[in-house]
Amino acid sequence: MERKNSLYCNTCGTVYPLDSPRWQCSCGGLLQIDWHYTLDLGRVSDRRFTMWRYREAYPVSDDAAIVSFREGFPPLLRMPVQGTQGEGAEIYIKQDHLFQSGSYKDRGASVLLSKVRELGITYVVEDSSGNAGCAIASYAAAAGIRSDIYVPATAPPPKIAQIQAYGAHTVSVPGNRDAVAEAVAAYLTKNNPPYYAGHAWNPFFLHGTKSFAFEVCEQLGWRAPDTVCIPTGNGTLLLGASLGFSELMEQGIISSLPKLIAVQYEGYTPLITAMEGETTSSRPSTRLSPSSPPLADGIAISNPIRKDDIVKALHESGGGAVAVTDEEIEEALATAGLHGFFIEPTAAVGLAGAKRYIRGGVGRKDEVIVTVFTGHGLKSAGHRAVSSCNSAHQ
Ligand SMILES: *Cc1c(COP(=O)(O)O)cnc(C)c1O
Ligand SMILES: [Zn+2]
C-alpha cells in the first residue's frame, strides 16, 4: 500500500489507511502520519485567529467532525530577562496557559477528538498526569464522546476535579506515572476496549500540537525564531513543534529550522542520558524523595515512548537537552508571577531552561529565543502551600 496520506509504523514500515481506528502497529510499534498538504498563506490570513486557520495542515477530512472552541493563537509576548551573557537576547513567551482547558494540550486534543469523531468512535480512554486528561475530557464532552481518564493518585486535586467536571470517569492509580501507563495498557488488552486517545502514543495529537510552530512563525512575521526552549516529558509539544517547523520549511515558508532545546526536569532526564556527552546537564540526576509529588508534575516522565524520535528531532535542529532543578523552577515561577503571569510550576520550566541557556553563553547575543507557558496557575492553586499566610493582618 502506498504511504501517502496514511498511517505507517515507525518500526516495521507497515502502512494503514488514515481512517483505521488504530493507535499502534500490530507489531507493537509507534505510528506516524504521512500527510500532504499545501498551506496557502493568503487563505490562512482570511481566517479567524484560531489554530484552525491552518485547516489544511490537519489530517482530518470532514469539516463537520471538527471539535473546536476556536482555540489557539494566544499572544507571543516579549519578556525582559536579565543575565550577564544574555544582554541582547530577546525572549518571547507563547501564552499557551490561556487555552480553554488551561494548557497547550488543547492543541492536540482538538485535532485528535476531531479525528475520533470523524471515525465514529464513541468511547475513548487516556492516561495523563493531569492536563492531557483535562484536554481530552473537555473535547470528548464537547463531542458527546465518553472518556475514561487514568491519573496518578498524586495528581494535583484541581486537575482531577477539572477532569470530573467534564463528566469524564477518572481512575486513580497509585504509584508513579509509569504505573498509570501500565494500568491503562492492561485495560486495553481486555475484550472490545475503547479507542486509546493516549497523547504520547496517538499520532493525531502531534498533528495538533504542531500548530504551536505555525503560530509562532506567523506571529514573528512568518520567520522562524533562532531557538525554542520547550518543557519536555513525553515530548508531545516538542515533537509537534519539530513537525510544524519542518513542514513550514519543506513548503518554503520559513528558511531555517530553529534550534530545539528540550528542557527536562532534574530526576527525569532520559533525553540527557540518551544524548550523553553532547549536551549540558546540571548534575547527574537521582530524585531523592519519589514519594512526595514532583514540583514539575507535568513532565515527571522517566521513559518517554517516543524518545528516539525526540532525540532525532533535537539532532536535526542542532539543539539539545538541558535539565533544570526545583530551585530554578521556583525562581522562574517567581519571575513569571512578578511580571504578572500566573502559571503552574511545570509551565515555568521553559523559562527556567531559557535562562539557563542564556547563562550558559552558548547562543549568539542577539538570538530570538521562544519559550512557552504551558499550563495555567489555577491548575495547581491550593495544591502548593501558601507560605505567606504568616503575614495575615494582626
Ligand atoms: C504535558 C505538559 C508538558 C509537557 O508535555 P510532554 O508531552 O510530556 O513533553 C509541559 N507543561 C505542562 C503544563 C504540561 O501539562
Ligand atoms: Zn510495525
Side-chain angles (χ1 to χ4, degrees):
M1 195 179 145
E2 215 205 324
R3 187 189 264 195
K4 195 170 177 201
N5 292 346
S6 50
L7 292 162
Y8 67 94
C9 176
N10 241 0
T11 310
C12 73
T14 301
V15 175
Y16 301 94
L18 200 55
D19 55 4
S20 51
R22 274 195 168 271
W23 55 272
Q24 185 180 36
C25 181
S26 56
C27 83
L30 291 151
L31 295 179
Q32 311 273 50
I33 300 168
D34 181 85
W35 180 245
H36 293 260
Y37 68 93
T38 308
L39 212 55
D40 175 341
L41 297 191
R43 288 185 74 185
V44 167
S45 67
D46 285 342
R47 296 182 181 141
R48 279 198 183 95
F49 287 98
T50 80
M51 61 174 271
W52 285 91
R53 70 201 257 105
Y54 316 105
R55 169 71 184 91
E56 294 76 16
Y58 308 124
V60 175
S61 315
D62 181 5
D63 281 345
I66 293 174
V67 189
S68 170
F69 295 84
R70 297 191 190 167
E71 60 289 282
F73 229 87
L76 180 68
L77 299 178
R78 193 152 168 200
M79 179 147 173
V81 174
Q82 284 99 29
T84 44
Q85 313 269 347
E87 243 60 74
E90 292 178 37
I91 292 200
Y92 290 88
I93 305 184
K94 188 75 168 142
Q95 306 292 312
D96 274 18
H97 62 300
L98 299 179
F99 270 90
Q100 63 90 25
S101 90
S103 85
Y104 83 86
K105 299 278 192 334
D106 289 5
R107 295 183 184 278
S110 186
V111 169
L112 174 52
L113 268 296
S114 298
K115 193 66 197 179
V116 164
R117 180 146 83 177
E118 185 173 71
L119 294 174
I121 289 162
T122 56
Y123 179 17
V124 299
V125 62
E126 144 86 334
D127 54 313
S128 160
S129 65
N131 286 339
C134 293
I136 298 289
S138 162
Y139 283 78
I145 289 167
R146 174 179 167 192
S147 64
D148 289 358
I149 313 291
Y150 282 63
V151 292
T154 57
K159 294 185 183 177
I160 297 178
Q162 188 183 350
I163 293 169
Q164 291 172 344
Y166 298 125
H169 176 61
T170 53
V171 182
S172 172
V173 182
N176 62 12
R177 184 64 183 78
D178 291 337
V180 184
E182 281 158 26
V184 83
Y187 180 59
L188 287 168
T189 61
K190 300 254 159 67
N191 269 342
N192 207 5
Y195 180 71
Y196 184 45
H199 60 293
W201 271 96
N202 200 298
F204 288 98
F205 196 89
L206 305 179
H207 281 256
T209 55
K210 73 185 181 184
S211 58
F212 171 85
F214 303 159
E215 293 177 13
V216 164
C217 291
E218 182 166 8
Q219 286 169 318
L220 292 172
W222 286 118
R223 259 185 329 120
D226 297 305
T227 303
V228 184
C229 296
I230 299 182
T232 306
N234 277 310
T236 62
L237 185 55
L238 188 130
L239 287 169
S242 164
L243 192 62
F245 289 122
S246 304
E247 289 178 358
L248 292 179
M249 184 81 170
E250 275 161 33
Q251 304 203 27
I253 295 173
I254 56 173
S255 54
S256 62
L257 280 183
K259 218 166 21 169
L260 299 179
I261 309 285
V263 188
Q264 297 228 275
Y265 178 31
E266 193 178 54
Y268 302 88
T269 55
L271 300 174
I272 291 178
T273 308
M275 300 182 85
E276 205 71 84
E278 304 172 43
T279 51
T280 51
S281 159
S282 46
R283 352 173 182 132
S285 52
T286 36
R287 180 151 229 91
L288 295 176
S289 54
S291 54
S292 66
L295 178 65
D297 59 287
I299 56 165
I301 308 285
S302 4
N303 193 16
I305 50 160
R306 291 191 185 264
K307 184 170 74 189
D308 295 348
D309 289 346
I310 301 172
V311 169
K312 191 161 156 260
L314 296 175
H315 272 301
E316 278 170 9
S317 77
V322 297
V324 294
T325 62
D326 281 347
E327 294 70 37
E328 288 172 281
I329 296 169
E330 293 281 11
E331 191 207 313
L333 200 55
T335 305
L338 295 174
H339 282 85
F341 300 100
F342 188 47
I343 54 173
E344 65 173 293
T346 309
V349 164
L351 178 58
K355 286 183 168 193
R356 175 183 278 274
Y357 174 79
I358 289 173
R359 283 188 198 130
V362 285
R364 288 196 335 265
K365 277 201 186 309
D366 59 345
E367 265 185 55
V368 174
I369 300 170
V370 167
T371 185
V372 49
F373 288 155
T374 43
H376 200 281
L378 293 172
K379 293 280 198 174
S380 58
H383 180 54
R384 309 181 62 221
V386 177
S387 57
S388 56
C389 288
N390 57 3
S391 63
H393 182 65
Q394 263 309 340

